[in-house]
Amino acid sequence: MSTVHKFPGGIHPQEGKGGKAVTAGLAMVKVPQPSRVTIPLQQHMGAPCKPLVEKDDVVKVGQMIGEPVGAMSAAVHASVSGKVVGCEPCILANGTQCLSVIIDNDFQDEWVPATRVEAPESMSVQELSDMVRRMGIVGMGGATFPTAVKLNIPAGKPVDTLILNGAECEPYLSADHRLMLEKSEAIVSGARVIQKVLGIKTVQIGIEDNKPDAVQAMSKACAAYPEFSVTALKTQYPQGGEKQLVYALTGRKVKMGGLPLDQGVVVCNVGTCYAVHVAAYEGRPVVERVVTVGGCVKNPANYLVRIGTPVEWLLNASEGLLPETRMLIYGGPMMGMAISRTDIPVTKGCSGIVALERTDALQEEGPCIRCGRCIQACPMQLAPASIDRFMRRDMYEAAEKLNVMNCIECGCCAWSCPAKRNLTQSCRVCKRIITQRRREQAAKKGAN
């Protein structure tokens, strides 16, 4: 077990994982397939995939229906067998529209032939990167960063540590917890593929200490490998943040604007490692994931869900919302997005659907009382109240000087603010406007 380092800031919101669920995890249920799935062609950071199917085409499970375009991309596959009834824009959880493939399920569950790797641990780095890209593997913790890019280490960047993120620090969510209990050996197997191919010496697995059974299961799964270790981390949000996790396990600080790679570290979610195992040893792409449905529902559970399943289908599987529900969150309550419709599809980055009884988001903002709690809570050591003030005055250059671009949008500042000011939202708006301005300036320079 490695020495645990305390990262700055952080909070401990009500866990909301439900009594015994904190230690036992919500049981995993394989939800029945829906009659129709809507599969977005952009389930990753980067450019949308190029559609490979048209209306009236017949597809099989695991068939590539979206071809990766550009470096920051990952393939998209059919999650059910049946007939394509349309390729059209559909609304996602963030309110944007994305070209999506709509498939009517024939319930035959007919798969394309599996393409297993003969010796996964003997692959070259390029072969591993190509396989991960072809199999549609992205950051399954919610970031959806294309894993192929993360594993294609540039020359001159030595890496000595692989970190598996099993912290799952968001309230209510227990999808990774359940995956570690039921698929611990497969997770370790996927991690070993990454470790061996990249030539990494040490593998550290970080899990919050409110999941002792997951710590035990993962410790047992990697007991035969001396280079693997499991560390129980303090239950402290956002313990699962990439930079916070790197510091907690290694003591290495990722500089502002930098990446874990700069400190010789690669970080992968446990769900991502499981997807690598399935791709390498079973020859199957990402067509399903575990999703927590919790909060104000009659039957909270972790569901094994086909990608493209509508949120409404999962809520029905949980026997519907309770009358006191006031808000529906796609993701976790800290970093997820409030949604007002239930026809939104489950994507690779969806770790949960949470129904909330009451939320501070419904309370009116008050004036800033300059208490400094947002500064104390911020894990990136920013000044959210000052950034918020500059944003409201359209002073984006001043906000940029306060390093707003390093905000990880974790929500700690808004959660800790006694005036209930929308601090996280202000940081998010600043980042988007600054990014847009940078693009416009780059375009002007290119035109000249």
Side-chain angles (χ1 to χ4, degrees):
M1 181 178 292
S2 61
T3 301
V4 178
H5 303 266
K6 171 68 173 68
F7 62 85
I11 58 176
H12 190 175
Q14 180 181 350
E15 293 176 20
K17 298 181 190 281
K20 295 181 179 179
V22 174
T23 55
L26 295 170
M28 187 189 295
V29 180
K30 192 169 185 178
V31 68
Q33 295 179 22
S35 57
R36 173 175 287 186
V37 294
T38 301
I39 306 176
L41 292 176
Q42 187 175 24
Q43 300 184 52
H44 49 264
M45 291 183 181
C49 289
K50 174 185 175 182
L52 297 178
V53 293
E54 298 178 347
K55 185 178 179 180
D56 295 328
D57 284 351
V58 176
V59 297
K60 297 179 180 180
V61 187
Q63 178 179 331
M64 188 185 294
I65 58 175
E67 181 182 11
V69 176
M72 292 285 290
S73 190
V76 173
H77 303 79
S79 60
V80 298
S81 59
K83 180 182 283 189
V84 176
V85 296
C87 292
E88 57 191 56
C90 292
I91 294 180
L92 303 182
N94 61 6
T96 63
Q97 289 192 336
C98 175
L99 185 64
S100 304
V101 177
I102 304 171
I103 306 171
D104 272 351
N105 194 349
D106 63 8
F107 294 99
Q108 298 302 308
D109 206 34
E110 186 178 358
W111 284 75
V112 295
T115 53
R116 300 177 181 86
V117 179
E118 289 188 8
E121 294 180 10
S122 299
M123 285 189 287
S124 67
V125 174
Q126 190 60 52
E127 287 172 338
L128 174 61
S129 180
D130 290 345
M131 181 201 72
V132 166
R133 175 182 168 90
R134 185 177 67 253
M135 292 296 188
I137 301 176
V138 298
M140 302 296 284
T144 66
F145 188 88
T147 305
V149 178
K150 182 175 287 189
L151 300 183
N152 201 351
I153 310 297
K157 289 280 188 180
V159 175
D160 59 20
T161 304
L162 170 64
I163 290 179
L164 270 60
N165 187 350
E168 196 168 39
C169 55
E170 277 259 21
Y172 289 94
L173 303 186
S174 57
D176 286 348
H177 184 180
R178 198 66 217 173
L179 192 66
M180 288 186 286
L181 291 180
E182 298 193 18
K183 303 292 182 181
S184 56
E185 292 183 359
I187 292 170
V188 171
S189 171
R192 274 183 59 80
V193 171
I194 297 172
Q195 176 215 357
K196 292 296 184 181
V197 172
L198 299 186
I200 296 174
K201 296 179 181 178
T202 304
V203 181
Q204 297 190 44
I205 305 171
I207 306 171
E208 283 195 324
D209 57 13
N210 63 353
K211 308 172 187 65
D213 50 353
V215 172
Q216 183 179 4
M218 293 300 293
S219 297
K220 182 178 178 180
C222 62
Y225 311 115
E227 64 271 35
F228 279 66
S229 64
V230 179
T231 302
L233 303 169
K234 180 181 178 182
T235 301
Q236 180 88 353
Y237 180 84
Q239 189 74 255
E242 199 171 60
K243 295 180 180 180
Q244 287 69 40
L245 190 60
V246 169
Y247 181 72
L249 290 175
T250 68
R252 304 176 192 178
K253 294 183 178 181
V254 180
K255 296 180 180 179
M256 285 193 176
L259 298 170
L261 193 60
D262 301 327
Q263 298 298 322
V265 178
V266 170
V267 182
C268 288
N269 179 264
V270 291
T272 305
C273 291
Y274 175 68
V276 170
H277 166 85
V278 172
Y281 290 98
E282 299 179 18
R284 296 189 173 185
V286 178
V287 297
E288 60 186 7
R289 67 155 298 134
V290 183
V291 178
T292 301
V293 178
C296 292
V297 293
K298 292 182 179 178
N299 184 28
N302 282 309
Y303 294 111
L304 186 61
V305 185
R306 294 292 174 97
I307 302 298
T309 298
V311 169
E312 182 180 19
W313 191 264
L314 294 183
L315 295 177
N316 290 338
S318 285
E319 300 179 21
L321 298 170
L322 296 176
E324 57 267 29
T325 301
R326 293 293 178 268
M327 181 174 287
L328 196 59
I329 305 292
Y330 187 96
M334 297 301 295
M335 297 187 72
M337 294 164 281
I339 56 175
S340 58
R341 51 195 298 167
T342 57
D343 58 347
I344 293 169
V346 168
T347 59
K348 297 175 186 177
C350 178
S351 53
I353 305 296
V354 179
L356 297 180
E357 178 178 356
R358 59 182 179 83
T359 171
D360 291 339
L362 297 178
Q363 299 184 23
E364 292 185 6
E365 287 185 304
C368 175
I369 62 173
R370 300 180 183 273
C371 63
R373 292 182 188 176
C374 60
I375 297 174
Q376 295 173 355
C378 179
M380 298 304 293
Q381 298 181 290
L382 304 180
S386 297
I387 293 171
D388 173 63
R389 186 165 60 252
F390 288 138
M391 189 281 298
R392 293 170 192 259
R393 297 176 181 176
D394 296 331
M395 299 171 64
Y396 301 108
E397 291 183 2
E400 188 172 6
K401 289 180 181 178
L402 290 181
N403 298 310
V404 66
M405 297 305 290
N406 289 298
C407 171
I408 61 174
E409 302 179 21
C410 62
C412 287
C413 55
W415 184 89
S416 62
C417 178
K420 306 305 175 188
R421 296 183 69 79
N422 297 321
L423 302 177
T424 306
Q425 292 85 338
S426 293
C427 291
R428 185 178 293 125
V429 169
C430 273
K431 290 171 65 178
R432 289 179 179 175
I433 291 176
I434 291 169
T435 299
Q436 182 61 32
R437 288 184 174 184
R438 288 177 178 177
R439 289 174 180 168
E440 291 174 354
Q441 291 174 358
K444 288 180 180 179
K445 289 181 180 179
N448 295 332

